């Protein structure tokens, strides 16, 4: 089975700009979608049982290790079964929501989703990151250089020695202009950024649909 795996992580529900732009993507997507909402159904952080379960023979697992292994298998197989990925991950305090980091920690397993020099099953598969942010982080902005989310995800998801996905990024900015009086003058820039993000999302969905269809036909 081939599908788009969509992961949501914003705590803001339908008010989330990351979710709204991701909706534009899935609205233009032709194919099946498997969706995991980490805000509605959070995953516990990786603990000692989860770490040691990976290197302990299954017949020696403690009950805690067995439970951890079941969860990791579920998440990893869901990830590996997708032909494309959509990650809606807003900037929280210069980085990613903790629920998304927890999900990453569970699926980053050497030999399954991480190659570390060897080819991975996911190499070359397309992935889109939608990351809304309250401010602006581009050159010349006061926050330039303080986006610690997109660079981290581009490395984790796209590095050839890690997941080796073909990563594309969409970043609607200046969402605080809607609610913070000192930033009201930036509202036109926010609106333009948001409109552009929706357009990018629809275009990426169309492009990736064609890519995955072509691969499936080979």
């Amino acid at each position: 089975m081939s599908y788009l795996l969509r992961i949501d992580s914003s705590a803001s529900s339908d008010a989330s700009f990351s979710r709204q732009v991701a909706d534009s993507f899935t609205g233009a997507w032709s194919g099946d979608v498997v969706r995991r909402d980490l805000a509605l159904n959070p995953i516990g952080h990786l603990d000692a049982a989860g770490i040691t379960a990976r290197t302990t023979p299954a017949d020696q697992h403690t009950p805690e290790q067995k439970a951890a292994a079941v969860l990791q298998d579920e998440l990893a197989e869901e990830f590996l079964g997708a032909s494309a990925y959509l990650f809606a991950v807003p900037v929280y305090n210069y980085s990613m929501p903790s629920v998304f980091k927890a999900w990453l920690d569970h699926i980053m397993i050497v030999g399954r989703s991480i190659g570390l020099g060897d080819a991975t099953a996911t190499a070359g598969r397309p992935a889109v990151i939608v990351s809304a942010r309250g401010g602006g982080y581009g050159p010349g902005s006061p926050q330039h250089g303080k986006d610690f989310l997109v660079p981290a995800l581009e490395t984790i998801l796209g590095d050839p020695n890690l997941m080796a996905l073909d990563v594309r990024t969409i970043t609607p900015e200046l969402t605080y202009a809607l609610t913070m009086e000192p930033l009201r003058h930036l509202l036109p820039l926010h609106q333009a950024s948001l409109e552009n993000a929706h357009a990018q999302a629809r275009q990426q969905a169309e492009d990736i649909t064609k890519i995955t269809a072509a691969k499936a036909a080979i």
Side-chain angles (χ1 to χ4, degrees):
M1 180 181 179
S2 179
Y3 50 85
L4 171 75
L5 176 60
R6 172 175 172 174
I7 304 293
D8 286 284
S9 59
S10 173
S12 298
S13 189
D14 292 341
S16 161
F17 290 104
S18 295
R19 289 175 183 267
Q20 291 170 22
V21 173
D23 286 343
S24 287
F25 184 102
T26 53
W29 174 258
S30 298
D32 295 324
V33 179
V34 171
R35 185 173 181 180
R36 183 174 288 274
D37 192 326
L38 298 174
L40 287 178
N41 297 291
I43 295 165
H45 291 286
L46 185 64
D47 59 13
I51 294 171
T52 56
R54 299 177 181 181
T55 55
T56 303
D59 60 358
Q60 298 177 26
H61 279 179
T62 65
E64 292 77 15
Q65 288 173 324
K66 288 179 181 179
V70 168
L71 174 61
Q72 290 183 28
D73 283 342
E74 175 190 342
L75 298 176
E77 289 306 309
E78 181 179 74
F79 176 77
L80 294 170
S83 59
Y85 305 89
L86 176 61
F87 303 111
V89 191
V91 171
Y92 279 12
N93 299 316
Y94 300 103
S95 186
M96 67 189 76
S98 63
V99 290
F100 190 81
K101 181 60 166 60
W103 176 80
L104 276 177
D105 289 341
H106 281 290
I107 68 160
M108 292 180 69
I109 304 170
V110 176
R112 296 183 75 178
S113 60
I114 297 176
L116 292 184
D118 296 322
T120 65
T122 58
R125 294 181 190 176
V128 173
I129 301 167
V130 178
S131 180
R133 55 276 316 283
Y137 296 86
S141 71
Q143 300 295 319
H144 182 224
K146 296 180 181 179
D147 176 0
F148 301 110
L149 188 155
V150 167
L153 288 187
E154 288 179 338
T155 297
I156 293 166
L157 301 173
D159 190 288
N161 288 313
L162 298 176
M163 295 182 182
L165 301 177
D166 177 12
V167 180
R168 306 104 187 274
T169 304
I170 301 172
T171 54
E173 295 191 325
L174 302 169
T175 62
Y176 283 160
L178 291 164
T179 56
M180 297 180 65
E181 189 60 38
L183 299 180
R184 288 286 187 185
H185 66 289
L186 299 175
L187 190 56
L189 293 177
H190 158 67
Q191 292 171 334
S193 176
L194 185 60
E195 289 173 6
N196 182 55
H198 282 288
Q200 286 185 65
R202 290 187 288 268
Q203 186 62 56
Q204 290 284 6
E206 293 173 6
D207 292 347
I208 294 173
T209 295
K210 294 176 183 177
I211 292 171
T212 55
K215 288 182 177 180
I218 295 176

